[in-house]
Amino acid sequence: MLGIIFSIVAGIAMSFQGVFNTRLGEKIGAWETNLVVQLTGLVLTFIILLFAGDGNLKNIKESNKIYLLGGVLGVIIIYTVMKGISALGPTYSIATILVAQLTAAALIDAFGLFGSDQVKFGMTKLIGVAVMIVGIIIFKWKC
């Protein structure tokens, strides 16, 4: 149940963040917004780490180096979400992002990539993605 709650909070926060970043980007620029977002995230994370950190940064040398690209992906995500929302509006953009996320996650599961357990991606999951895509098309359809 906790996983569902965290996922709902993440989805709501990502939608708000996308809109907030887009509106700020309209005033100060996309890359400037990306800088502000990353810096405020760094400061908040550092403060939380001081009080609630439970890991060990020294273990980073034991991690697969490809996982260090998470920060690079964060920059790409912030920029492309802002541009998507700016071009398509929040609902259409976020819906498209969700389908892309679900498809990428399904491929990661199906092939057991990046240390994930392999999970079969059968016909029912393909139909689910197709229904989401049809939903986006219907939502955007202008009568």
Side-chain angles (χ1 to χ4, degrees), residues 7-26:
S7 297
I8 290 169
V9 170
I12 292 168
M14 290 170 66
S15 294
F16 282 7
Q17 182 196 39
V19 174
F20 291 176
N21 292 351
T22 301
R23 298 300 168 247
L24 184 60
E26 292 167 356

Side-chain angles (χ1 to χ4, degrees), residues 10-26 29-31 33-34 37-38 72-101:
I12 292 168
M14 290 170 66
S15 294
F16 282 7
Q17 182 196 39
V19 174
F20 291 176
N21 292 351
T22 301
R23 298 300 168 247
L24 184 60
E26 292 167 356
W31 290 113
T33 297
N34 209 326
V37 168
Q38 298 287 354
V72 173
L73 292 173
V75 171
I76 293 167
I77 291 164
I78 290 169
Y79 182 80
T80 55
V81 168
M82 288 170 53
K83 291 301 185 179
I85 289 175
S86 181
L88 302 174
T91 306
Y92 187 44
S93 177
I94 302 271
T96 303
I97 290 167
L98 290 175
V99 169
Q101 278 185 300

